[in-house]
Amino acid sequence: MVYQAASDRYEHMPYRRCGASGLDLPAISLGLWQAFGTDRSYDSALERIEYAFDHGVTHIDLANNYGPPYGAAEEQFGRMLATDLKPYRDELIISSKAGWDMWPGPYGFGGSRKYLVASLDQSLTRLGLDYVDIFYSHRIDATTPLEETIGALKTAIDSGKALYAGISSYSATKTLQAIDIAKDMGFRLLIHQPSYSILNRWIEQGSPSLLDVLGERHMGAIVFSPVAQGLLTSKYLGGVPDGSRAAEDGSFKKAFLTEANLAHVRALNAIAEKRGQTLAQMAIAWTLRDERVTSALIGASSVEQLASNLKALDNLAFTPEELAAIDAESVDAGINIWEDSSKVR
Ligand code: NAP
């Protein structure tokens, strides 16, 4: 049957303006980092993406190496764009990135012009698109002049292969430098994509903090892993379920499940219950409490998770007492596996 998007898809999702640009993003966006490669069926991926779009999630976030294997998420999504989603291309904001490892040898990772320009071409081929909406430098590369990396983003825009550009996991200092370099080159960086959750608040820290920089320079922020890859749910309170991300022990290290971390998760779970939310819903809503955050970028391995997490939008307001209670449990849980990039000053 031909997919037809829900006619009420724009009725419930709030859209937020991305910094000083003309672009709105949904308060919740969907990323295809994990559980959208060939490890899951195409039908399951399609079901989740169509569910998201039917509920106003207009932004799908990708990178060259999302899978597994690397490239598979873009290929699967490209198949959808060529078929079911074809009539909806102009209703979608599609992003990709390059920076982490993608192909062997010295030109398949880092921040060089050689890597970024070639990788974007490869992503467009996999996606079957002429352009992506946002192209990111996926991480800082301290061994490459920042002018070269930011210049490659400008080339992506000038060549018509990206409409906007962003950076991901850059420190506050490097972000300021990147903003100024782009300005000198005659363009604006649209958005920053950092990790952020109740258990990983690095973007609030330092003077100025990354959030301060983004607010003052009117750059958008899309925060990833707001559910801390699943830690901020009740799923790990009774052990490690089969098929969960922690069971795979890849990006979600079993070492994150310390008694101390789980005690905070238990306490946060109780706060969420009092609000009439699941912990995942509260965790997503919490990242959106600051207006400098444009969108919360979630993942989902099932349509049930997605459906439940999108209900975070039903209660985005926090009382000062709730925020104080969350703060009391909000420790750095040692889960920011991207900090090598965000620590480069
Ligand atoms: P997340 O929303 O924090 O975690 C999603 C995972 O948590 C799910 O796949 C699921 O894992 C588990 N989960 C979520 N809701 C659940 C629920 N209600 N009940 C039980 N388990 C639940 O986000 P993420 O997937 O880590 O990252 C989201 C997106 O951010 C990525 O797809 C990517 O687009 C982006 N990202 C960007 C970077 C970067 O460097 N720029 C890095 C990482 C991510 P299981 O069911 O598999 O256990």
Side-chain angles (χ1 to χ4, degrees):
M1 220 172 64
V2 180
Y3 165 69
Q4 195 142 33
S7 55
D8 63 350
R9 61 189 175 280
Y10 292 115
E11 281 173 22
H12 305 295
M13 174 65 71
Y15 294 88
R16 296 187 175 198
R17 188 51 58 100
C18 193
S21 76
L23 189 72
D24 288 339
L25 291 181
I28 298 181
S29 301
L30 179 66
L32 310 193
W33 175 35
Q34 297 193 32
F36 286 89
T38 53
D39 56 334
R40 308 293 158 120
S41 75
Y42 176 80
D43 287 348
S44 155
L46 181 64
E47 186 191 13
R48 280 173 279 154
I49 288 169
E50 289 182 348
Y51 186 94
F53 187 54
D54 280 343
H55 291 81
V57 178
T58 49
H59 179 26
I60 303 294
D61 180 70
L62 290 135
N64 53 0
N65 60 2
Y66 289 179
Y70 290 179
E74 288 184 334
E75 264 167 27
Q76 298 238 68
F77 189 57
R79 198 174 141 196
M80 297 172 203
L81 287 170
T83 53
D84 291 53
L85 296 178
K86 193 168 183 174
Y88 305 105
R89 167 63 183 101
D90 292 337
E91 293 184 48
L92 288 166
I93 297 297
I94 300 164
S95 56
S96 190
K97 322 182 188 79
W100 297 107
D101 47 308
M102 180 59 193
W103 62 82
Y107 318 120
F109 76 101
S112 70
R113 163 178 289 277
K114 169 77 177 163
Y115 174 38
L116 264 62
V117 169
S119 181
L120 176 55
D121 279 341
Q122 291 188 17
S123 291
L124 291 174
T125 301
R126 284 188 290 269
L127 289 163
L129 293 176
D130 296 329
Y131 67 91
V132 291
D133 298 283
I134 309 171
F135 183 56
Y136 286 91
S137 161
H138 209 163
R139 63 161 174 123
I140 192 85
D141 173 5
T143 69
T144 298
L146 197 48
E147 287 77 5
E148 179 170 338
T149 305
I150 302 305
L153 297 180
K154 181 172 191 307
T155 297
I157 293 175
D158 290 347
S159 62
K161 293 175 185 177
L163 300 185
Y164 302 93
I167 53 178
S168 177
S169 299
Y170 279 45
S171 66
T173 308
K174 285 292 171 199
T175 298
L176 274 171
Q177 290 172 14
I179 290 170
D180 287 340
I181 290 168
K183 194 173 169 206
D184 287 348
M185 290 179 176
F187 79 112
R188 282 184 66 94
L189 293 172
L190 173 79
I191 194 164
H192 193 301
Q193 187 175 128
S195 63
Y196 184 49
S197 71
I198 295 172
L199 297 176
N200 168 24
R201 297 176 71 161
W202 73 273
I203 67 173
E204 297 174 27
Q205 292 151 8
S207 184
S209 69
L210 178 60
L211 268 178
D212 290 338
V213 168
L214 300 179
E216 282 157 21
R217 297 301 194 97
H218 309 293
M219 192 168 162
I222 180 165
V223 298
F224 69 80
S225 300
V227 179
Q229 299 197 60
L231 180 56
L232 284 167
T233 68
S234 56
K235 74 193 294 177
Y236 294 116
L237 292 178
V240 178
D242 286 345
S244 62
R245 206 179 278 189
E248 289 163 16
D249 206 25
S251 63
F252 190 127
K253 314 283 173 217
K254 284 207 179 90
F256 297 164
L257 299 172
T258 61
E259 262 320 303
N261 281 350
L262 290 173
H264 293 296
V265 172
R266 238 174 247 117
L268 290 164
N269 198 39
I271 300 169
E273 271 173 14
K274 273 199 208 149
R275 281 170 52 84
Q277 284 185 312
T278 67
L279 176 50
Q281 289 164 355
M282 181 177 85
I284 293 165
W286 180 88
T287 63
L288 291 166
R289 77 199 184 290
D290 188 318
E291 62 183 18
R292 293 171 295 185
V293 172
T294 318
S295 186
L297 177 52
I298 66 168
S301 65
S302 69
V303 84
E304 291 75 22
Q305 286 178 3
L306 183 60
S308 175
N309 291 1
L310 285 174
K311 292 205 176 89
L313 298 170
D314 294 348
N315 184 6
L316 293 177
F318 288 86
T319 64
E321 293 73 28
E322 285 170 339
L323 288 176
I326 292 169
D327 280 347
E329 304 300 334
S330 173
V331 295
D332 183 336
I335 56 173
N336 184 9
I337 58 173
W338 304 272
E339 74 176 356
D340 280 356
S341 174
S342 53
K343 278 201 165 152
V344 176
R345 283 163 207 280

